Amino acid sequence: MAPSMEAQQQQPETEGETQLAQAAPDDNEAPNKCKVTVVGSGNWGSVAAKLIASNTLKLPSFHDEVRMWVFEETLPNGEKLSEVINQTNENVKYLSGVKLGKNVVADPDLDRAVRDANMLVFVTPHQFMEGICKRLIGKIKKDAEAISLIKGIEVKREGPCMISTLISEQLGINCCVLMGANIANEIAVEKFSEATVGYRGNKEIAERWVQLFNHPYFMVSAVQDVEGVELCGTLKNVVAIAAGFVDGLEMGNNTKAAIMRIGLREMRAFSKLLFSSVKDSTFFESCGVADIITTCLGGRNRKCAEAFARHGGKRSFDELEAEMLQGQKLQGVSTAKEVYEVLRHRGWLELFPLFTTVHEICSGHLPPSAIVEYSEHKPKFSLVEGSARFY
Ligand SMILES: NC(=O)c1ccc[n+]([C@@H]2O[C@H](COP(=O)([O-])OP(=O)(O)OC[C@H]3O[C@@H](n4cnc5c(N)ncnc54)[C@H](O)[C@@H]3O)[C@@H](O)[C@H]2O)c1
Ligand SMILES: O=P(O)(O)OC[C@H](O)CO
């Protein structure tokens, strides 16, 4: 059982004793105080919990304690990850060496972690969200507010479904998004960065999320364009894969800059074709151009794609992910496939040569060098021609 924050701060439990998760001390008893739960505890999930937990201690309208749902794992030494997090105040697997704040309580029980939450922060790899949402139906407060930090998309028979929409529709709650140029390890050690909250309609809710995340080293602003912000965060991972190929092929900075530019244009075009409400200005926020830059310079998608290209596509992304990321998950390869399915279904493949080529390389149908090779591999269109034709 997850100990309460109070229990963590006092004594280690006596051997064999289990402790029910309970409401934390006096000032936390006030019924109107908002309780926050973070659903997810990977690299970014842990940093998000740290950011939030340092703010809930300062903001009187929030309970101090922040629950963090942990997908339970047994560590190589036989210990449970959630127990180690509560003993050491560190996520030793996904964010080692960084204290999360004593008011972060790791909880491996999903139902219990969300039960009392007024504000739910979703931050797991996108491929797990459909299953998590199914498990949460009927388990959360009806008036809870949600935010998704998840960069990804689901493709259903009916068409593409944003993760925030999945959360909203399955759980019947409002869901904002937070995206940006946010490499978690850098924010964990409090290096300055910015982020963008995307909201629909209710600005007060967006301001509440800004308040919960904002720090002098993490500057958050809000824009009324939930789809634009979320699609920026999602699609940049496909561009990052292309940038990694360019690095693996040692093609240099100009080529990588070209990939970023073409990628950004495809991101905007795809987003606007899916949602006419998407605003051009969103692409100038942290979630847009800034995230493209950071992710193409220093992200995990870029890193694994570089290794993929160096091995000439002979080692699979699954293999490289397991070896290089040690349990952390790539989003770009599956997102490229999901975007490709949308493009194919709608007859848009030729309009998006970069997105299309990334998937064809990841799936082994083209060599990594095809990222900037044209007609011999792709008789129907080319990156250059496609870009020129469309834009
Ligand atoms: N890490 C970053 O720098 C960063 C920054 C911004 C956004 N994001 C986004 O945040 C989201 C979460 O990424 P992360 O970096 O926190 O995670 P991660 O890749 O570091 O960790 C993987 C997580 O998935 C969990 N997991 C494994 N199998 C699972 C299962 N079957 N069901 C549920 N959970 C399972 C693991 O326990 C772990 O918590 C992603 O969409 C990512 O794109 C990441
Ligand atoms: O490490 P990546 O490639 O998952 O990217 C991390 C963040 O999304 C960068 O903003």
Side-chain angles (χ1 to χ4, degrees):
M1 291 263 179
S4 67
M5 178 185 82
E6 188 183 32
Q8 272 196 79
Q9 282 168 341
Q10 286 172 351
Q11 283 291 319
E13 291 170 26
T14 49
E15 206 180 337
E17 186 185 16
T18 55
Q19 206 158 353
L20 276 173
Q22 58 200 12
D26 293 345
D27 79 313
N28 281 319
E29 294 293 350
N32 293 330
K33 287 198 175 200
C34 201
K35 290 187 175 177
V36 184
T37 289
V38 177
V39 177
S41 54
N43 188 232
W44 184 218
S46 301
V47 176
K50 175 182 185 280
L51 282 167
I52 293 166
S54 95
N55 276 337
T56 56
L57 291 179
K58 291 181 228 143
L59 296 166
S61 57
F62 288 90
H63 279 263
D64 290 352
E65 181 178 299
V66 174
R67 288 251 148 184
M68 180 174 77
W69 174 64
V70 172
F71 177 75
E72 191 64 290
E73 297 179 50
T74 305
L75 298 171
N77 64 5
E79 292 183 299
K80 296 279 185 219
L81 178 60
S82 65
E83 290 173 10
V84 176
I85 295 173
N86 285 333
Q87 282 152 15
T88 62
N89 197 228
E90 262 182 59
N91 188 337
V92 291
K93 176 154 182 188
Y94 294 102
L95 190 67
S96 68
V98 176
K99 295 291 178 197
L100 299 180
K102 288 239 162 67
N103 51 330
V104 174
V105 176
D107 193 336
D109 182 326
L110 181 60
D111 291 6
R112 184 179 55 206
V114 300
R115 191 180 299 149
D116 299 325
N118 309 97
M119 293 177 85
L120 290 159
V121 179
F122 288 95
V123 53
T124 70
H126 78 281
Q127 57 269 39
F128 303 129
M129 266 317 290
E130 194 159 19
I132 290 171
C133 280
K134 283 200 179 112
R135 287 175 61 188
L136 288 180
I137 292 170
K139 303 282 171 54
I140 59 169
K141 281 182 179 285
K142 290 204 171 10
D143 59 352
E145 285 288 334
I147 195 164
S148 171
L149 277 51
I150 299 165
K151 294 176 173 176
I153 191 171
E154 282 283 323
V155 178
K156 299 172 170 294
R157 203 173 299 156
E158 315 85 78
C161 175
M162 308 306 300
I163 299 296
S164 65
T165 310
L166 183 78
I167 294 167
S168 278
E169 288 181 354
Q170 298 255 328
L171 304 181
I173 55 177
N174 182 50
C175 188
C176 293
V177 298
L178 181 146
M179 308 278 144
N182 298 149
I183 290 179
N185 290 336
E186 297 178 13
I187 299 162
V189 292
E190 307 189 0
K191 292 181 176 172
F192 178 79
S193 69
E194 298 177 306
T196 316
V197 163
Y199 69 97
R200 186 182 285 115
N202 189 341
K203 192 162 188 210
E204 273 174 35
I205 298 297
E207 281 165 357
R208 193 100 169 117
W209 287 117
V210 169
Q211 188 185 34
L212 192 60
F213 279 94
N214 212 31
H215 275 273
Y217 66 88
F218 192 68
M219 298 283 281
V220 187
S221 51
V223 300
Q224 191 172 359
D225 183 6
V226 72
E227 287 88 6
V229 173
E230 191 167 4
L231 278 163
C232 277
T234 298
L235 298 170
K236 68 85 189 171
N237 283 331
V238 182
V239 185
I241 299 281
F245 294 151
V246 163
D247 284 346
L249 297 165
E250 298 184 9
M251 303 192 77
N253 296 325
N254 295 339
T255 310
K256 193 145 106 176
I259 291 292
M260 291 187 209
R261 187 194 73 82
I262 294 165
L264 190 59
R265 296 194 73 147
E266 289 198 6
M267 283 166 53
R268 187 179 65 165
F270 184 81
S271 304
K272 292 181 106 152
L273 280 173
L274 283 190
F275 300 98
S276 57
S277 59
V278 166
K279 297 174 180 164
D280 282 343
S281 55
T282 299
F283 295 84
F284 292 94
E285 299 290 340
S286 177
C287 63
V289 64
D291 201 5
I292 278 279
I293 294 169
T294 204
T295 204
C296 290
L297 295 179
R300 300 167 297 184
N301 286 285
R302 187 219 65 82
K303 183 174 160 181
C304 291
E306 179 185 22
F308 182 88
R310 283 198 194 285
H311 288 97
K314 300 267 183 309
R315 294 191 66 197
S316 72
F317 269 104
D318 283 350
E319 205 183 345
L320 293 166
E321 177 189 70
E323 186 179 296
M324 299 175 77
L325 301 186
Q326 303 287 315
Q328 293 185 34
K329 299 285 179 198
L330 289 179
Q331 305 284 265
V333 176
S334 50
T335 303
K337 180 169 186 286
E338 285 145 359
V339 167
Y340 188 92
E341 280 172 31
V342 176
L343 298 179
R344 190 169 50 83
H345 189 72
R346 303 206 174 187
W348 296 343
L349 280 173
E350 296 194 9
L351 300 177
F352 294 89
L354 181 66
F355 289 168
T356 302
T357 306
V358 168
H359 172 64
E360 289 175 346
I361 295 171
C362 292
S363 58
H365 293 98
L366 288 174
S369 57
I371 198 65
V372 286
E373 283 171 6
Y374 309 124
S375 45
E376 65 268 35
H377 291 297
K378 292 175 287 171
K380 288 200 197 131
F381 60 91
S382 77
L383 198 59
V384 171
E385 287 161 10
S387 304
R389 192 165 47 219
F390 188 44
Y391 309 115

